[in-house]
Amino acid sequence: MTNQPTAKTTPTLTFVPAGGMGNRMKALSAAITLARQCHSRAEIIWFRDGGLGCRFDQLFLPLDEPDATLREATLTDLLLHDRPRRRNLYVPLCAQRLLYEGRMDEQACTQGMRTHFDFVEWATGKRAWMSSHVYFMADEPPTGTYDRFRLIPQLQQRVDRTVAEAGDDVVGVHIRRTDNERSIAESPTEAFIARMRQESGGTRFFLATDNEEEKQRIAAAFPHRVITSPRPADRRTLQGMEDAAVEMFTLSRTRLILGSAYSTFSSAAAGIGHIPLEIVKKTVI
């Protein structure tokens, strides 16, 4: 039986988005959808960590959601509401078991998504805590998942300038490298070059990548046709995260994205722009 709110308890979903920018965006949207469906208030706590080391307001405008609030994590949140893990000696887990009537971590959310768990029944009427890096309310993020995210003006202006300079016939290319071994294996650079050569000679390419060597290689393969950031790709700094946000939203303004396998960045950019995404994969002989 579904629990119903009582006079003593205000149904609240305390949610901690995890992972990188694209993962956080889709997980946050799932949490707001869940809270709305179970008539709870969503309290989103934004932690800066190795996955994304900047504040929400350094990238995005405030969320326009009447039943959801988002705030930056405080020292108290680190003790009570952070994701329990080895680095914090799992201290928040004890607090969460006392503070909440139900809790669900990243692994449980992902498993629930795969098994079509009834998150609405579970969360209705409760004070619940959740953390996720996936859109756990469906197998795939639905249309409109990313519509609530708007860049701050100075970043949006950079997107608009690049789009204006690029012209009309532009294909987006996202090559994921660094620590994503599956993406590197499934979407090698040779496959991107081969696919890009199928486009007409008048097509330009907006390249987003986290690897400087990839920029040079692609630019050499397509002289005078590649647009990319002149700044080093470094996702560990605020400037690097700003550049990543600008690249994601610029990709969203192209006519097609050639994306990397196992990368939320590619799918998020396509979702923002409501444009086609083609995952580039190596040819299997």
Side-chain angles (χ1 to χ4, degrees), residues 9-45:
T9 303
T10 300
T12 305
L13 177 66
T14 299
F15 184 75
V16 176
M21 182 164 56
N23 291 102
R24 290 192 186 205
M25 291 167 74
K26 65 180 179 181
L28 191 157
S29 286
I32 291 175
T33 297
L34 172 59
R36 183 176 296 133
Q37 291 185 14
C38 62
H39 307 290
S40 294
R41 178 173 56 84
E43 182 183 55
I44 301 154
I45 307 177

Side-chain angles (χ1 to χ4, degrees), residues 95-125:
Q96 289 162 18
R97 286 173 172 170
L98 294 173
L99 292 171
Y100 298 102
E101 298 166 272
R103 65 176 307 282
M104 192 173 291
D105 60 19
E106 295 168 72
Q107 183 177 1
C109 280
T110 301
Q111 182 64 24
M113 174 193 70
R114 292 171 177 167
T115 59
H116 302 98
F117 177 76
D118 192 337
F119 289 96
V120 175
E121 181 178 9
W122 173 80
T124 297

Side-chain angles (χ1 to χ4, degrees), residues 70-84:
L70 185 149
R71 62 180 176 81
E72 298 295 324
T74 64
L75 180 59
T76 301
D77 290 320
L78 287 170
L79 297 173
L80 301 181
H81 305 299
D82 196 6
R83 292 177 293 141

Side-chain angles (χ1 to χ4, degrees), residues 151-188:
L151 291 180
I152 58 177
Q154 55 266 45
L155 299 186
Q156 185 60 53
Q157 289 166 10
R158 288 174 56 187
V159 173
D160 294 340
R161 283 197 301 268
T162 301
V163 170
E165 294 169 0
D168 296 328
D169 186 10
V170 182
V171 169
V173 179
H174 174 237
I175 302 179
R176 174 68 190 275
R177 291 297 176 253
T178 60
D179 60 343
N180 195 327
E181 296 180 0
R182 296 177 72 190
S183 185
I184 296 170
E186 292 295 322
S187 300

